[in-house]
Amino acid sequence: MSTTRTEVTGVRSEATFLAAGAETLRNGYVLTGRNMRHVARIPGRITTGLVQPVMFVVLFAFVFGGSLGGEDYRRFLMAGIFAQSMVFNASFTTVGLANDLQKGIVERFRSLPMSPLAVILGRTTSDMVVGVATLVVTALCGLLVGWRIEGSPADAALAFGVLVLFGFAMSWVGATVGVFARTVEVAQSAGLIWLFPLSLISTAFVSAENMPTPLREFAAWNPVSAVATSVRDLLGNPVPANLPQPDTWSLQHPTLYAVLSSLAVLAVFMPLVLARYRRLTRG
């Protein structure tokens, strides 16, 4: 009899868990729609997200590209721009969440019967949609400067899948900064503190061989380097001879390392942002 009751209790617990998960996904979907409508009402938000990577393509391709390898460098460059775009997209999550906290919108969400995860998930998912749009515009701009996809369609799909996963992971880092900053002004400043070093101290745009040893090691194991290298390999974009890459495990197996790094970031920052969010909305 006790065994039967235990089994029934286990089945009920599992059913309750699945129902709660499904409800969280539904609420997250609703909030994603809410955030996307908000983006549509503020054209400057989407314009900034789309213009910024185009500006970097033009800047690196034609201002620095001539001295770094010309056409070969432009093909090398695009994977780095893609990776950087996914990192910088996290700043919108930071500012958006801080803005909701500052204006008291999160307090309204707290009064509704929804999981805290749904609120953060709605924000990160909507920003991921904007990130995908950014990738499309950046790719079109790359085509104009001479970049091409040399790999197979399956490899290209995998490359953009790695980028989207990485961008989603970075948005949770941005969400963490947002809930700790709380005000938009602090969030904007705090976002720049980690965005630029993470994206620039890497092999996204240059070789790490001429960097000082500490920076070279950081660049070699920086997930941005792995993502950029993975995308280059999968898209068939060659590395110019004047830009040798570090011979480390992370860059010898860039796709695996990029995926593992993204999952590790999610495993660390999802609980962190949820714990902070619950603390802010508790009383």
Side-chain angles (χ1 to χ4, degrees), residues 102-122:
Q102 185 174 354
K103 291 184 176 180
I105 296 174
V106 170
E107 292 297 323
R108 301 177 189 175
F109 291 155
R110 189 181 67 166
S111 65
L112 300 175
M114 69 169 62
S115 166
L117 177 60
V119 178
I120 312 300
L121 185 62

Side-chain angles (χ1 to χ4, degrees), residues 14-15 17 25 31 33 57 60 72 91 106 115 169 180 195:
E14 183 178 354
F17 176 79
L25 291 177
L31 291 175
V57 170
F60 280 96
D72 290 341
S91 65
V106 170
S115 166
F180 276 93
L195 288 175

Side-chain angles (χ1 to χ4, degrees), residues 57 60-62 65-66 68-82 141-151 203-205 228-229 231-241 243:
V57 170
F60 280 96
F62 297 109
L68 292 174
E71 184 178 349
D72 290 341
Y73 179 74
R74 288 195 290 272
R75 291 199 297 268
F76 168 87
L77 166 71
M78 289 308 301
I81 295 291
F82 289 141
C141 185
L143 293 174
L144 294 177
V145 301
W147 166 78
R148 296 292 184 269
I149 296 176
E150 307 290 345
T203 61
F205 305 114
T229 303
V231 172
R232 286 190 192 105
D233 290 349
L234 292 169
L235 297 181
N237 300 145
V239 177
L243 296 174

Side-chain angles (χ1 to χ4, degrees), residues 45 86-102 106 120 123-124 126-128 167-195 269 273:
R45 161 68 176 83
M86 293 297 95
V87 175
F88 273 60
N89 197 61
S91 65
F92 297 117
T93 307
T94 300
V95 173
L97 194 53
N99 185 59
D100 286 346
L101 286 166
Q102 185 174 354
V106 170
I120 312 300
R123 169 60 58 186
T124 55
S126 63
D127 290 330
M128 184 179 66
F168 186 64
M170 289 297 100
S171 70
W172 282 88
V173 180
T176 304
V177 176
V179 295
F180 276 93
R182 299 193 64 178
T183 66
V184 174
E185 294 77 14
V186 174
Q188 289 174 330
S189 300
L192 297 178
I193 292 174
W194 69 278
L195 288 175
F269 285 93
V273 68

